[in-house]
Amino acid sequence: MKWLKIRQSFLLIIGGMFLFLSCKETSINEPLEEGTEPPGKVKNVQVENLPGGAELTYTLPDDEDLLYVRAEYTLDTGKEMEVKASYYDNSLKIEGYADSTSQEVTLYAVNRNEIESEPVSVTINPKRSKIWDVYNSITARAAFGGINVEAENPERNDIAILVMLKDDFGEWEIHPQSIYTSTDEINANLREGLDTLRQDFAITVRDRWLNYTDTLVTELKPLYEAPIPKSGYSGYPLEGDAPHHPSNSLNNLWDGNLMHWPGVYLTNRDYQPSEPHTLTIDVGMETKLSRIVIWDYPEYYTGGRIYYYLGCPKRFEIWGASDPTIEDPENWMEQDNWHKLGTYEETKPSGLPYGEQSNEDYQTANAGFSWDFDIAAPEVRYLRIRNLENWNGFTHIAISEVQVYGDPTP
């Protein structure tokens, strides 16, 4: 009998627990507020038209259970858009248009029960999107092995500059090296060993909402280019060149090792002459050179690897000569036998502060920086890198690999 009473008590407790949990679950699924009245409408909507959209400012309804304001609109592409702003704000931003045509936006106030107010419609007149400014700034020219595209993107918008060539069937096909970036100064070479035949290239700009500009069609004749064989490279230290780190040698610059210590090249950071650090190499043949690709050395940093750091070159010059004679180490740049092939500056695509990098920053540096030589420069054999400033503010150099390109035919 005693056992029966205990069993009945246990069942009563279990039943109570299930009843409690059931009530608890029901209460969770119920609305937070009991009211079913819709909130009031937003009022006094003010429109500030912007490139590609508008900023809407409004007066919120005086409802204690107001949760957010929702804007609904449709892009020219047909995509339906929705933007929300919490009740802490009295404005929201409309984005995604390409052209300056009138558009309708519908606003709703929504309470904590997800009950929406009556709609309020407002007309906006977006200014023309900034992708048109990028498009109008494009300059395309022939380059060795392909074409060069320059453009300006001062707002650092996420854009794609799509370069197209015709396939075997005469249809336009997007080049795999088309430009996807948010950097402000765009200077990219599209190289795939294109035939040195005059051909048409089509260029258009696209934003992240899939809006497109017009298409620029230009006829260009790529210049012949091929890698200068690394088998002919050798170090050629000249008077005035900076001493290197004791664990490295110039031969590391063409060993195929793009990042791993000690197969890289660093000048001695303790060497502090009045002139910037320099290094000199012999590419093994006197010829018309088109460019050099430089892979910086990524330092070990907080468990990973980081570019744009310490001795990675930031501002530098490259000089060339067929006769490498140095008569005066302090004034060698004034000698007739040395020709400046270019002045260069690395830029971090993201614009992040020193010691920080985005995935785009890392991928850009890891692919190697390609620096074009002056097309008017004479044929040269010897190259001298003069580092004006590294990312740490000094002039010592930290690079992993180089590859020189040009016309290696006799």
Side-chain angles (χ1 to χ4, degrees):
M1 195 67 148
K2 183 177 181 182
W3 178 86
L4 180 61
K5 289 182 180 180
I6 294 173
R7 183 172 180 274
Q8 290 174 339
S9 300
F10 177 75
L11 291 175
L12 286 173
I13 292 171
I14 295 298
M17 290 176 64
F18 275 111
L19 180 62
F20 172 78
L21 291 174
S22 176
C23 294
K24 185 84 171 176
E25 183 177 355
T26 302
S27 65
I28 290 174
N29 293 326
E30 289 178 353
L32 295 176
E33 303 289 339
E34 296 182 0
T36 58
E37 291 295 320
K41 300 183 294 184
V42 298
K43 300 177 181 178
N44 305 321
V45 181
Q46 303 295 315
V47 177
E48 180 186 358
N49 293 307
L50 302 171
E55 182 88 17
L56 303 184
T57 305
Y58 42 80
T59 301
L60 294 168
D62 188 18
D63 288 76
E64 292 184 358
D65 61 349
L66 180 68
L67 185 60
Y68 61 87
V69 172
R70 184 178 75 246
E72 296 178 355
Y73 58 101
T74 304
L75 298 180
D76 294 328
T77 61
K79 182 178 181 179
E80 296 182 352
M81 301 289 290
E82 182 180 277
V83 179
K84 295 180 180 179
S86 80
Y87 66 92
Y88 291 110
D89 300 316
N90 69 334
S91 66
L92 52 76
K93 193 172 184 179
I94 305 299
E95 297 179 293
Y97 291 105
D99 296 304
S100 53
T101 56
S102 295
Q103 305 289 342
E104 183 175 295
V105 178
T106 305
L107 297 173
Y108 298 90
V110 183
N111 66 18
R112 297 182 185 277
N113 283 328
E114 291 294 324
I115 299 174
E116 60 189 34
S117 69
E118 293 181 17
V120 174
S121 294
V122 60
T123 299
I124 65 173
N125 293 280
K127 298 177 182 178
R128 215 174 196 200
S129 169
K130 290 294 184 180
I131 60 173
W132 287 99
D133 293 340
V134 177
Y135 174 78
N136 291 328
S137 72
I138 289 175
T139 299
R141 60 175 66 87
F144 282 88
I147 69 168
N148 170 265
V149 177
E150 290 186 11
E152 296 179 0
N153 181 29
E155 304 295 326
R156 291 182 174 270
N157 293 313
D158 290 319
I159 60 164
I161 299 180
L162 303 178
V163 178
M164 295 168 283
L165 296 87
K166 290 186 177 179
D167 61 18
D168 294 338
F169 303 99
E171 300 293 330
W172 289 111
E173 185 176 52
I174 297 175
H175 193 284
Q177 293 180 14
S178 289
I179 305 159
Y180 303 86
T181 185
S182 59
T183 192
D184 53 350
E185 295 290 336
I186 300 165
N187 187 337
N189 290 312
L190 283 72
R191 308 176 190 273
E192 272 205 353
L194 296 175
D195 289 337
T196 57
L197 301 174
R198 190 166 291 278
Q199 55 192 293
D200 289 334
F201 294 85
I203 305 173
T204 187
V205 182
R206 186 189 71 196
D207 64 18
R208 60 191 177 95
W209 295 280
L210 302 183
N211 294 309
Y212 292 82
T213 63
D214 293 338
T215 301
L216 168 69
V217 178
T218 183
E219 187 181 62
L220 297 170
K221 182 179 182 296
L223 307 175
Y224 178 71
E225 180 191 63
I228 304 299
K230 291 183 179 181
S231 58
Y233 297 4
S234 61
Y236 201 87
L238 293 173
E239 186 177 358
D241 281 354
H244 58 79
H245 188 284
S247 298
N248 310 142
S249 77
L250 281 168
N251 291 333
N252 291 349
L253 291 179
W254 40 87
D255 64 356
N257 178 5
L258 300 181
M259 58 196 307
H260 299 299
W261 183 269
V264 297
Y265 186 77
L266 279 66
T267 59
N268 191 332
R269 71 176 66 182
D270 295 328
Y271 177 67
Q272 297 182 7
S274 58
E275 277 291 297
H277 283 208
T278 59
L279 64 88
T280 309
I281 63 174
D282 175 2
V283 300
M285 65 173 65
E286 183 176 321
T287 189
K288 184 74 170 177
L289 300 179
S290 59
R291 61 182 172 120
I292 185 172
V293 178
I294 298 176
W295 285 267
D296 292 351
Y297 172 60
E299 291 281 352
Y300 292 88
Y301 183 76
T302 61
R305 306 298 292 275
I306 187 169
Y307 293 98
Y308 318 91
Y309 195 67
L310 296 182
C312 293
K314 184 176 184 182
R315 294 188 307 108
F316 60 98
E317 300 169 346
I318 299 180
W319 293 71
S322 55
D323 170 15
T325 301
I326 296 289
E327 298 173 356
D328 182 354
E330 294 185 0
N331 298 293
W332 63 272
M333 294 176 291
E334 298 177 10
Q335 294 180 193
D336 292 339
N337 57 318
W338 284 96
H339 309 276
K340 185 189 286 188
L341 304 183
T343 301
Y344 311 99
E345 181 171 1
E346 278 187 15
T347 57
K348 192 185 297 187
S350 68
L352 289 171
Y354 179 73
E356 299 180 32
Q357 68 180 5
S358 67
N359 182 60
E360 183 184 11
D361 295 336
Y362 179 88
Q363 297 299 334
T364 297
N366 187 253
F369 292 100
S370 181
W371 307 107
D372 287 344
F373 294 147
D374 182 0
I375 194 67
E379 294 184 356
V380 298
R381 174 171 174 165
Y382 302 90
L383 297 178
R384 202 172 201 207
I385 299 175
R386 182 172 182 258
N387 197 34
L388 304 177
E389 181 188 9
N390 59 34
W391 282 85
N392 198 33
F394 299 97
T395 71
H396 55 272
I397 302 169
I399 55 181
S400 299
E401 190 84 3
V402 299
Q403 172 66 67
V404 183
Y405 290 80
D407 185 353
T409 57

